[in-house]
Amino acid sequence: MLNGIIELIRFAVVTFLTAVAANVIVSLVAYVWCKIIRVQGHEMELRARLARYARIATGLSNRVEARKNTAAGAATHLFTAQRHEKQLKGRIRELEKCPHRFVRMIGAEQFPNKPYEFLVINSSVSHQVKRGERHPFYDSSWAQPCPVHVWARGPEEAKAEFERVYPKASGFKAVYAQPLTGAAAPKEGGEGDGVETVDPEMEPV
């Protein structure tokens, strides 16, 4: 009986040690095999590539978010500009229907500048209005002579300043030009009554 128990215990110990040895051997083989696979599979290079791709993905994500914010700001700016354009067009339509003409000013209204009046039309606008259309850039009031007051030292300077602001290439044409006399003319040194005689150099155009 005792011998049987001893043999059973011996068998159990041998079996346990054999199992432990087998597990150790299997673990060592698995570890070595994993090392071989990692070396053959270039694990470090793959890790470096993954890290680099992760940084690139993060950078692209940040750029996308920045572009989204920029687009949102641009959309807001565009909406504001469109609303402002709509208001300006409404104001232009009101001015076109107004029975009184408004005067456009060029230059500084101060001595020694003198005022010169130009009656101006835009031939392109005039043709568009005759066809019942609207000009894409200028309002319809330019189809009729519009007063433009230019403040300059002399007629030549006034003409040059007028042509700079209202170039012929855009269809503008002065049908008449003359020095502006009366209350609009400046007084020199506080003397005189503010009335200026017609400059002989300024003639109808």
mmCIF file with all atom_site columns, all heavy atoms in Angstrom, residues 131-152:
data_model
loop_
_atom_site.group_PDB
_atom_site.id
_atom_site.type_symbol
_atom_site.label_atom_id
_atom_site.label_alt_id
_atom_site.label_comp_id
_atom_site.label_asym_id
_atom_site.label_entity_id
_atom_site.label_seq_id
_atom_site.pdbx_PDB_ins_code
_atom_site.Cartn_x
_atom_site.Cartn_y
_atom_site.Cartn_z
_atom_site.occupancy
_atom_site.B_iso_or_equiv
_atom_site.pdbx_formal_charge
_atom_site.auth_seq_id
_atom_site.auth_comp_id
_atom_site.auth_asym_id
_atom_site.auth_atom_id
_atom_site.pdbx_PDB_model_num
ATOM 1   N N   . ARG A 1 131 ? -31.271 100.300 -74.545 1.00 0.00 ? 131 ARG A N   1
ATOM 2   C CA  . ARG A 1 131 ? -31.721 98.936  -74.850 1.00 0.00 ? 131 ARG A CA  1
ATOM 3   C C   . ARG A 1 131 ? -32.577 98.348  -73.725 1.00 0.00 ? 131 ARG A C   1
ATOM 4   O O   . ARG A 1 131 ? -32.978 97.183  -73.781 1.00 0.00 ? 131 ARG A O   1
ATOM 5   C CB  . ARG A 1 131 ? -30.508 98.020  -75.073 1.00 0.00 ? 131 ARG A CB  1
ATOM 6   C CG  . ARG A 1 131 ? -29.741 98.338  -76.341 1.00 0.00 ? 131 ARG A CG  1
ATOM 7   C CD  . ARG A 1 131 ? -28.808 97.185  -76.693 1.00 0.00 ? 131 ARG A CD  1
ATOM 8   N NE  . ARG A 1 131 ? -27.782 96.994  -75.678 1.00 0.00 ? 131 ARG A NE  1
ATOM 9   C CZ  . ARG A 1 131 ? -26.559 97.528  -75.745 1.00 0.00 ? 131 ARG A CZ  1
ATOM 10  N NH1 . ARG A 1 131 ? -26.234 98.291  -76.795 1.00 0.00 ? 131 ARG A NH1 1
ATOM 11  N NH2 . ARG A 1 131 ? -25.674 97.300  -74.797 1.00 0.00 ? 131 ARG A NH2 1
ATOM 12  N N   . GLY A 1 132 ? -32.822 99.154  -72.698 1.00 0.00 ? 132 GLY A N   1
ATOM 13  C CA  . GLY A 1 132 ? -33.634 98.679  -71.590 1.00 0.00 ? 132 GLY A CA  1
ATOM 14  C C   . GLY A 1 132 ? -32.887 97.760  -70.656 1.00 0.00 ? 132 GLY A C   1
ATOM 15  O O   . GLY A 1 132 ? -33.510 96.960  -69.953 1.00 0.00 ? 132 GLY A O   1
ATOM 16  N N   . GLU A 1 133 ? -31.567 97.874  -70.600 1.00 0.00 ? 133 GLU A N   1
ATOM 17  C CA  . GLU A 1 133 ? -30.756 97.017  -69.768 1.00 0.00 ? 133 GLU A CA  1
ATOM 18  C C   . GLU A 1 133 ? -30.018 97.848  -68.727 1.00 0.00 ? 133 GLU A C   1
ATOM 19  O O   . GLU A 1 133 ? -29.989 99.075  -68.796 1.00 0.00 ? 133 GLU A O   1
ATOM 20  C CB  . GLU A 1 133 ? -29.740 96.236  -70.630 1.00 0.00 ? 133 GLU A CB  1
ATOM 21  C CG  . GLU A 1 133 ? -30.398 95.382  -71.707 1.00 0.00 ? 133 GLU A CG  1
ATOM 22  C CD  . GLU A 1 133 ? -29.366 94.772  -72.637 1.00 0.00 ? 133 GLU A CD  1
ATOM 23  O OE1 . GLU A 1 133 ? -28.174 95.132  -72.508 1.00 0.00 ? 133 GLU A OE1 1
ATOM 24  O OE2 . GLU A 1 133 ? -29.744 93.961  -73.503 1.00 0.00 ? 133 GLU A OE2 1
ATOM 25  N N   . ARG A 1 134 ? -29.405 97.155  -67.762 1.00 0.00 ? 134 ARG A N   1
ATOM 26  C CA  . ARG A 1 134 ? -28.619 97.815  -66.736 1.00 0.00 ? 134 ARG A CA  1
ATOM 27  C C   . ARG A 1 134 ? -27.147 97.508  -66.959 1.00 0.00 ? 134 ARG A C   1
ATOM 28  O O   . ARG A 1 134 ? -26.782 96.389  -67.303 1.00 0.00 ? 134 ARG A O   1
ATOM 29  C CB  . ARG A 1 134 ? -29.033 97.356  -65.329 1.00 0.00 ? 134 ARG A CB  1
ATOM 30  C CG  . ARG A 1 134 ? -30.434 97.783  -64.925 1.00 0.00 ? 134 ARG A CG  1
ATOM 31  C CD  . ARG A 1 134 ? -30.708 97.360  -63.489 1.00 0.00 ? 134 ARG A CD  1
ATOM 32  N NE  . ARG A 1 134 ? -29.802 98.003  -62.565 1.00 0.00 ? 134 ARG A NE  1
ATOM 33  C CZ  . ARG A 1 134 ? -30.005 99.202  -62.017 1.00 0.00 ? 134 ARG A CZ  1
ATOM 34  N NH1 . ARG A 1 134 ? -31.108 99.871  -62.314 1.00 0.00 ? 134 ARG A NH1 1
ATOM 35  N NH2 . ARG A 1 134 ? -29.118 99.719  -61.181 1.00 0.00 ? 134 ARG A NH2 1
ATOM 36  N N   . HIS A 1 135 ? -26.323 98.529  -66.745 1.00 0.00 ? 135 HIS A N   1
ATOM 37  C CA  . HIS A 1 135 ? -24.882 98.327  -66.885 1.00 0.00 ? 135 HIS A CA  1
ATOM 38  C C   . HIS A 1 135 ? -24.380 97.492  -65.715 1.00 0.00 ? 135 HIS A C   1
ATOM 39  O O   . HIS A 1 135 ? -24.828 97.667  -64.578 1.00 0.00 ? 135 HIS A O   1
ATOM 40  C CB  . HIS A 1 135 ? -24.162 99.682  -66.920 1.00 0.00 ? 135 HIS A CB  1
ATOM 41  C CG  . HIS A 1 135 ? -22.756 99.601  -67.400 1.00 0.00 ? 135 HIS A CG  1
ATOM 42  N ND1 . HIS A 1 135 ? -21.712 99.272  -66.567 1.00 0.00 ? 135 HIS A ND1 1
ATOM 43  C CD2 . HIS A 1 135 ? -22.216 99.793  -68.637 1.00 0.00 ? 135 HIS A CD2 1
ATOM 44  C CE1 . HIS A 1 135 ? -20.591 99.280  -67.261 1.00 0.00 ? 135 HIS A CE1 1
ATOM 45  N NE2 . HIS A 1 135 ? -20.856 99.581  -68.516 1.00 0.00 ? 135 HIS A NE2 1
ATOM 46  N N   . PRO A 1 136 ? -23.458 96.537  -65.964 1.00 0.00 ? 136 PRO A N   1
ATOM 47  C CA  . PRO A 1 136 ? -23.013 95.668  -64.869 1.00 0.00 ? 136 PRO A CA  1
ATOM 48  C C   . PRO A 1 136 ? -22.200 96.368  -63.787 1.00 0.00 ? 136 PRO A C   1
ATOM 49  O O   . PRO A 1 136 ? -22.080 95.847  -62.681 1.00 0.00 ? 136 PRO A O   1
ATOM 50  C CB  . PRO A 1 136 ? -22.157 94.607  -65.597 1.00 0.00 ? 136 PRO A CB  1
ATOM 51  C CG  . PRO A 1 136 ? -21.721 95.273  -66.860 1.00 0.00 ? 136 PRO A CG  1
ATOM 52  C CD  . PRO A 1 136 ? -22.837 96.184  -67.245 1.00 0.00 ? 136 PRO A CD  1
ATOM 53  N N   . PHE A 1 137 ? -21.637 97.563  -64.080 1.00 0.00 ? 137 PHE A N   1
ATOM 54  C CA  . PHE A 1 137 ? -20.761 98.220  -63.109 1.00 0.00 ? 137 PHE A CA  1
ATOM 55  C C   . PHE A 1 137 ? -21.273 99.584  -62.643 1.00 0.00 ? 137 PHE A C   1
ATOM 56  O O   . PHE A 1 137 ? -21.100 99.951  -61.489 1.00 0.00 ? 137 PHE A O   1
ATOM 57  C CB  . PHE A 1 137 ? -19.352 98.390  -63.688 1.00 0.00 ? 137 PHE A CB  1
ATOM 58  C CG  . PHE A 1 137 ? -18.730 97.109  -64.146 1.00 0.00 ? 137 PHE A CG  1
ATOM 59  C CD1 . PHE A 1 137 ? -18.465 96.900  -65.481 1.00 0.00 ? 137 PHE A CD1 1
ATOM 60  C CD2 . PHE A 1 137 ? -18.437 96.105  -63.237 1.00 0.00 ? 137 PHE A CD2 1
ATOM 61  C CE1 . PHE A 1 137 ? -17.898 95.716  -65.905 1.00 0.00 ? 137 PHE A CE1 1
ATOM 62  C CE2 . PHE A 1 137 ? -17.870 94.920  -63.656 1.00 0.00 ? 137 PHE A CE2 1
ATOM 63  C CZ  . PHE A 1 137 ? -17.605 94.727  -65.004 1.00 0.00 ? 137 PHE A CZ  1
ATOM 64  N N   . TYR A 1 138 ? -21.871 100.360 -63.527 1.00 0.00 ? 138 TYR A N   1
ATOM 65  C CA  . TYR A 1 138 ? -22.261 101.731 -63.201 1.00 0.00 ? 138 TYR A CA  1
ATOM 66  C C   . TYR A 1 138 ? -23.781 101.857 -63.190 1.00 0.00 ? 138 TYR A C   1
ATOM 67  O O   . TYR A 1 138 ? -24.490 101.146 -63.911 1.00 0.00 ? 138 TYR A O   1
ATOM 68  C CB  . TYR A 1 138 ? -21.665 102.710 -64.216 1.00 0.00 ? 138 TYR A CB  1
ATOM 69  C CG  . TYR A 1 138 ? -20.166 102.615 -64.337 1.00 0.00 ? 138 TYR A CG  1
ATOM 70  C CD1 . TYR A 1 138 ? -19.559 102.178 -65.507 1.00 0.00 ? 138 TYR A CD1 1
ATOM 71  C CD2 . TYR A 1 138 ? -19.342 102.946 -63.262 1.00 0.00 ? 138 TYR A CD2 1
ATOM 72  C CE1 . TYR A 1 138 ? -18.176 102.072 -65.605 1.00 0.00 ? 138 TYR A CE1 1
ATOM 73  C CE2 . TYR A 1 138 ? -17.966 102.845 -63.349 1.00 0.00 ? 138 TYR A CE2 1
ATOM 74  C CZ  . TYR A 1 138 ? -17.386 102.406 -64.535 1.00 0.00 ? 138 TYR A CZ  1
ATOM 75  O OH  . TYR A 1 138 ? -16.029 102.295 -64.626 1.00 0.00 ? 138 TYR A OH  1
ATOM 76  N N   . ASP A 1 139 ? -24.264 102.793 -62.354 1.00 0.00 ? 139 ASP A N   1
ATOM 77  C CA  . ASP A 1 139 ? -25.702 102.980 -62.251 1.00 0.00 ? 139 ASP A CA  1
ATOM 78  C C   . ASP A 1 139 ? -26.226 103.762 -63.454 1.00 0.00 ? 139 ASP A C   1
ATOM 79  O O   . ASP A 1 139 ? -25.476 104.411 -64.191 1.00 0.00 ? 139 ASP A O   1
ATOM 80  C CB  . ASP A 1 139 ? -26.054 103.698 -60.942 1.00 0.00 ? 139 ASP A CB  1
ATOM 81  C CG  . ASP A 1 139 ? -25.411 105.067 -60.857 1.00 0.00 ? 139 ASP A CG  1
ATOM 82  O OD1 . ASP A 1 139 ? -26.035 106.033 -61.317 1.00 0.00 ? 139 ASP A OD1 1
ATOM 83  O OD2 . ASP A 1 139 ? -24.285 105.171 -60.332 1.00 0.00 ? 139 ASP A OD2 1
ATOM 84  N N   . SER A 1 140 ? -27.542 103.713 -63.633 1.00 0.00 ? 140 SER A N   1
ATOM 85  C CA  . SER A 1 140 ? -28.167 104.270 -64.830 1.00 0.00 ? 140 SER A CA  1
ATOM 86  C C   . SER A 1 140 ? -28.158 105.788 -64.865 1.00 0.00 ? 140 SER A C   1
ATOM 87  O O   . SER A 1 140 ? -28.473 106.380 -65.910 1.00 0.00 ? 140 SER A O   1
ATOM 88  C CB  . SER A 1 140 ? -29.617 103.765 -64.927 1.00 0.00 ? 140 SER A CB  1
ATOM 89  O OG  . SER A 1 140 ? -29.657 102.349 -65.010 1.00 0.00 ? 140 SER A OG  1
ATOM 90  N N   . SER A 1 141 ? -27.818 106.448 -63.753 1.00 0.00 ? 141 SER A N   1
ATOM 91  C CA  . SER A 1 141 ? -27.803 107.910 -63.762 1.00 0.00 ? 141 SER A CA  1
ATOM 92  C C   . SER A 1 141 ? -26.753 108.466 -64.715 1.00 0.00 ? 141 SER A C   1
ATOM 93  O O   . SER A 1 141 ? -26.867 109.605 -65.186 1.00 0.00 ? 141 SER A O   1
ATOM 94  C CB  . SER A 1 141 ? -27.548 108.439 -62.344 1.00 0.00 ? 141 SER A CB  1
ATOM 95  O OG  . SER A 1 141 ? -26.262 108.021 -61.883 1.00 0.00 ? 141 SER A OG  1
ATOM 96  N N   . TRP A 1 142 ? -25.730 107.658 -65.037 1.00 0.00 ? 142 TRP A N   1
ATOM 97  C CA  . TRP A 1 142 ? -24.688 108.120 -65.950 1.00 0.00 ? 142 TRP A CA  1
ATOM 98  C C   . TRP A 1 142 ? -25.174 108.206 -67.389 1.00 0.00 ? 142 TRP A C   1
ATOM 99  O O   . TRP A 1 142 ? -24.449 108.684 -68.262 1.00 0.00 ? 142 TRP A O   1
ATOM 100 C CB  . TRP A 1 142 ? -23.474 107.199 -65.881 1.00 0.00 ? 142 TRP A CB  1
ATOM 101 C CG  . TRP A 1 142 ? -22.689 107.320 -64.621 1.00 0.00 ? 142 TRP A CG  1
ATOM 102 C CD1 . TRP A 1 142 ? -22.619 106.416 -63.610 1.00 0.00 ? 142 TRP A CD1 1
ATOM 103 C CD2 . TRP A 1 142 ? -21.858 108.401 -64.224 1.00 0.00 ? 142 TRP A CD2 1
ATOM 104 N NE1 . TRP A 1 142 ? -21.799 106.859 -62.606 1.00 0.00 ? 142 TRP A NE1 1
ATOM 105 C CE2 . TRP A 1 142 ? -21.310 108.094 -62.960 1.00 0.00 ? 142 TRP A CE2 1
ATOM 106 C CE3 . TRP A 1 142 ? -21.523 109.626 -64.805 1.00 0.00 ? 142 TRP A CE3 1
ATOM 107 C CZ2 . TRP A 1 142 ? -20.451 108.941 -62.273 1.00 0.00 ? 142 TRP A CZ2 1
ATOM 108 C CZ3 . TRP A 1 142 ? -20.656 110.475 -64.119 1.00 0.00 ? 142 TRP A CZ3 1
ATOM 109 C CH2 . TRP A 1 142 ? -20.134 110.133 -62.880 1.00 0.00 ? 142 TRP A CH2 1
ATOM 110 N N   . ALA A 1 143 ? -26.386 107.740 -67.669 1.00 0.00 ? 143 ALA A N   1
ATOM 111 C CA  . ALA A 1 143 ? -26.920 107.869 -69.028 1.00 0.00 ? 143 ALA A CA  1
ATOM 112 C C   . ALA A 1 143 ? -27.248 109.320 -69.350 1.00 0.00 ? 143 ALA A C   1
ATOM 113 O O   . ALA A 1 143 ? -27.304 109.706 -70.529 1.00 0.00 ? 143 ALA A O   1
ATOM 114 C CB  . ALA A 1 143 ? -28.166 106.992 -69.194 1.00 0.00 ? 143 ALA A CB  1
ATOM 115 N N   . GLN A 1 144 ? -27.485 110.129 -68.330 1.00 0.00 ? 144 GLN A N   1
ATOM 116 C CA  . GLN A 1 144 ? -27.748 111.556 -68.498 1.00 0.00 ? 144 GLN A CA  1
ATOM 117 C C   . GLN A 1 144 ? -26.566 112.352 -67.941 1.00 0.00 ? 144 GLN A C   1
ATOM 118 O O   . GLN A 1 144 ? -25.813 111.831 -67.103 1.00 0.00 ? 144 GLN A O   1
ATOM 119 C CB  . GLN A 1 144 ? -29.038 111.949 -67.754 1.00 0.00 ? 144 GLN A CB  1
ATOM 120 C CG  . GLN A 1 144 ? -30.278 111.193 -68.216 1.00 0.00 ? 144 GLN A CG  1
ATOM 121 C CD  . GLN A 1 144 ? -30.636 111.525 -69.649 1.00 0.00 ? 144 GLN A CD  1
ATOM 122 O OE1 . GLN A 1 144 ? -30.381 112.634 -70.138 1.00 0.00 ? 144 GLN A OE1 1
ATOM 123 N NE2 . GLN A 1 144 ? -31.216 110.552 -70.351 1.00 0.00 ? 144 GLN A NE2 1
ATOM 124 N N   . PRO A 1 145 ? -26.366 113.584 -68.410 1.00 0.00 ? 145 PRO A N   1
ATOM 125 C CA  . PRO A 1 145 ? -25.245 114.389 -67.893 1.00 0.00 ? 145 PRO A CA  1
ATOM 126 C C   . PRO A 1 145 ? -25.313 114.541 -66.373 1.00 0.00 ? 145 PRO A C   1
ATOM 127 O O   . PRO A 1 145 ? -26.330 114.976 -65.822 1.00 0.00 ? 145 PRO A O   1
ATOM 128 C CB  . PRO A 1 145 ? -25.414 115.735 -68.613 1.00 0.00 ? 145 PRO A CB  1
ATOM 129 C CG  . PRO A 1 145 ? -26.144 115.402 -69.870 1.00 0.00 ? 145 PRO A CG  1
ATOM 130 C CD  . PRO A 1 145 ? -27.085 114.282 -69.503 1.00 0.00 ? 145 PRO A CD  1
ATOM 131 N N   . CYS A 1 146 ? -24.237 114.168 -65.706 1.00 0.00 ? 146 CYS A N   1
ATOM 132 C CA  . CYS A 1 146 ? -24.143 114.261 -64.251 1.00 0.00 ? 146 CYS A CA  1
ATOM 133 C C   . CYS A 1 146 ? -23.061 115.279 -63.879 1.00 0.00 ? 146 CYS A C   1
ATOM 134 O O   . CYS A 1 146 ? -21.975 115.277 -64.471 1.00 0.00 ? 146 CYS A O   1
ATOM 135 C CB  . CYS A 1 146 ? -23.784 112.913 -63.641 1.00 0.00 ? 146 CYS A CB  1
ATOM 136 S SG  . CYS A 1 146 ? -25.009 111.620 -63.929 1.00 0.00 ? 146 CYS A SG  1
ATOM 137 N N   . PRO A 1 147 ? -23.334 116.142 -62.909 1.00 0.00 ? 147 PRO A N   1
ATOM 138 C CA  . PRO A 1 147 ? -22.329 117.138 -62.523 1.00 0.00 ? 147 PRO A CA  1
ATOM 139 C C   . PRO A 1 147 ? -21.229 116.521 -61.659 1.00 0.00 ? 147 PRO A C   1
ATOM 140 O O   . PRO A 1 147 ? -21.496 115.761 -60.732 1.00 0.00 ? 147 PRO A O   1
ATOM 141 C CB  . PRO A 1 147 ? -23.143 118.166 -61.730 1.00 0.00 ? 147 PRO A CB  1
ATOM 142 C CG  . PRO A 1 147 ? -24.293 117.388 -61.175 1.00 0.00 ? 147 PRO A CG  1
ATOM 143 C CD  . PRO A 1 147 ? -24.604 116.324 -62.177 1.00 0.00 ? 147 PRO A CD  1
ATOM 144 N N   . VAL A 1 148 ? -20.007 116.844 -61.997 1.00 0.00 ? 148 VAL A N   1
ATOM 145 C CA  . VAL A 1 148 ? -18.845 116.435 -61.224 1.00 0.00 ? 148 VAL A CA  1
ATOM 146 C C   . VAL A 1 148 ? -18.022 117.681 -60.936 1.00 0.00 ? 148 VAL A C   1
ATOM 147 O O   . VAL A 1 148 ? -17.596 118.370 -61.860 1.00 0.00 ? 148 VAL A O   1
ATOM 148 C CB  . VAL A 1 148 ? -17.991 115.399 -61.980 1.00 0.00 ? 148 VAL A CB  1
ATOM 149 C CG1 . VAL A 1 148 ? -16.740 115.064 -61.180 1.00 0.00 ? 148 VAL A CG1 1
ATOM 150 C CG2 . VAL A 1 148 ? -18.794 114.136 -62.243 1.00 0.00 ? 148 VAL A CG2 1
ATOM 151 N N   . HIS A 1 149 ? -17.812 118.002 -59.668 1.00 0.00 ? 149 HIS A N   1
ATOM 152 C CA  . HIS A 1 149 ? -17.029 119.163 -59.286 1.00 0.00 ? 149 HIS A CA  1
ATOM 153 C C   . HIS A 1 149 ? -15.608 118.728 -58.941 1.00 0.00 ? 149 HIS A C   1
ATOM 154 O O   . HIS A 1 149 ? -15.398 117.872 -58.081 1.00 0.00 ? 149 HIS A O   1
ATOM 155 C CB  . HIS A 1 149 ? -17.666 119.866 -58.084 1.00 0.00 ? 149 HIS A CB  1
ATOM 156 C CG  . HIS A 1 149 ? -18.972 120.515 -58.421 1.00 0.00 ? 149 HIS A CG  1
ATOM 157 N ND1 . HIS A 1 149 ? -19.766 121.140 -57.476 1.00 0.00 ? 149 HIS A ND1 1
ATOM 158 C CD2 . HIS A 1 149 ? -19.638 120.643 -59.597 1.00 0.00 ? 149 HIS A CD2 1
ATOM 159 C CE1 . HIS A 1 149 ? -20.849 121.622 -58.053 1.00 0.00 ? 149 HIS A CE1 1
ATOM 160 N NE2 . HIS A 1 149 ? -20.804 121.318 -59.341 1.00 0.00 ? 149 HIS A NE2 1
ATOM 161 N N   . VAL A 1 150 ? -14.656 119.316 -59.633 1.00 0.00 ? 150 VAL A N   1
ATOM 162 C CA  . VAL A 1 150 ? -13.253 118.997 -59.431 1.00 0.00 ? 150 VAL A CA  1
ATOM 163 C C   . VAL A 1 150 ? -12.555 120.212 -58.837 1.00 0.00 ? 150 VAL A C   1
ATOM 164 O O   . VAL A 1 150 ? -12.608 121.305 -59.407 1.00 0.00 ? 150 VAL A O   1
ATOM 165 C CB  . VAL A 1 150 ? -12.576 118.595 -60.753 1.00 0.00 ? 150 VAL A CB  1
ATOM 166 C CG1 . VAL A 1 150 ? -11.114 118.242 -60.508 1.00 0.00 ? 150 VAL A CG1 1
ATOM 167 C CG2 . VAL A 1 150 ? -13.307 117.429 -61.395 1.00 0.00 ? 150 VAL A CG2 1
ATOM 168 N N   . TRP A 1 151 ? -11.902 120.015 -57.701 1.00 0.00 ? 151 TRP A N   1
ATOM 169 C CA  . TRP A 1 151 ? -11.155 121.089 -57.064 1.00 0.00 ? 151 TRP A CA  1
ATOM 170 C C   . TRP A 1 151 ? -9.680  120.922 -57.419 1.00 0.00 ? 151 TRP A C   1
ATOM 171 O O   . TRP A 1 151 ? -9.064  119.906 -57.097 1.00 0.00 ? 151 TRP A O   1
ATOM 172 C CB  . TRP A 1 151 ? -11.348 121.062 -55.557 1.00 0.00 ? 151 TRP A CB  1
ATOM 173 C CG  . TRP A 1 151 ? -12.727 121.531 -55.145 1.00 0.00 ? 151 TRP A CG  1
ATOM 174 C CD1 . TRP A 1 151 ? -13.893 120.852 -55.273 1.00 0.00 ? 151 TRP A CD1 1
ATOM 175 C CD2 . TRP A 1 151 ? -13.056 122.780 -54.558 1.00 0.00 ? 151 TRP A CD2 1
ATOM 176 N NE1 . TRP A 1 151 ? -14.933 121.582 -54.808 1.00 0.00 ? 151 TRP A NE1 1
ATOM 177 C CE2 . TRP A 1 151 ? -14.453 122.791 -54.351 1.00 0.00 ? 151 TRP A CE2 1
ATOM 178 C CE3 . TRP A 1 151 ? -12.323 123.902 -54.162 1.00 0.00 ? 151 TRP A CE3 1
ATOM 179 C CZ2 . TRP A 1 151 ? -15.131 123.860 -53.788 1.00 0.00 ? 151 TRP A CZ2 1
ATOM 180 C CZ3 . TRP A 1 151 ? -12.993 124.967 -53.601 1.00 0.00 ? 151 TRP A CZ3 1
ATOM 181 C CH2 . TRP A 1 151 ? -14.373 124.956 -53.418 1.00 0.00 ? 151 TRP A CH2 1
ATOM 182 N N   . ALA A 1 152 ? -9.130  121.920 -58.098 1.00 0.00 ? 152 ALA A N   1
ATOM 183 C CA  . ALA A 1 152 ? -7.740  121.854 -58.543 1.00 0.00 ? 152 ALA A CA  1
ATOM 184 C C   . ALA A 1 152 ? -7.179  123.271 -58.640 1.00 0.00 ? 152 ALA A C   1
ATOM 185 O O   . ALA A 1 152 ? -7.903  124.269 -58.535 1.00 0.00 ? 152 ALA A O   1
ATOM 186 C CB  . ALA A 1 152 ? -7.645  121.149 -59.893 1.00 0.00 ? 152 ALA A CB  1
#
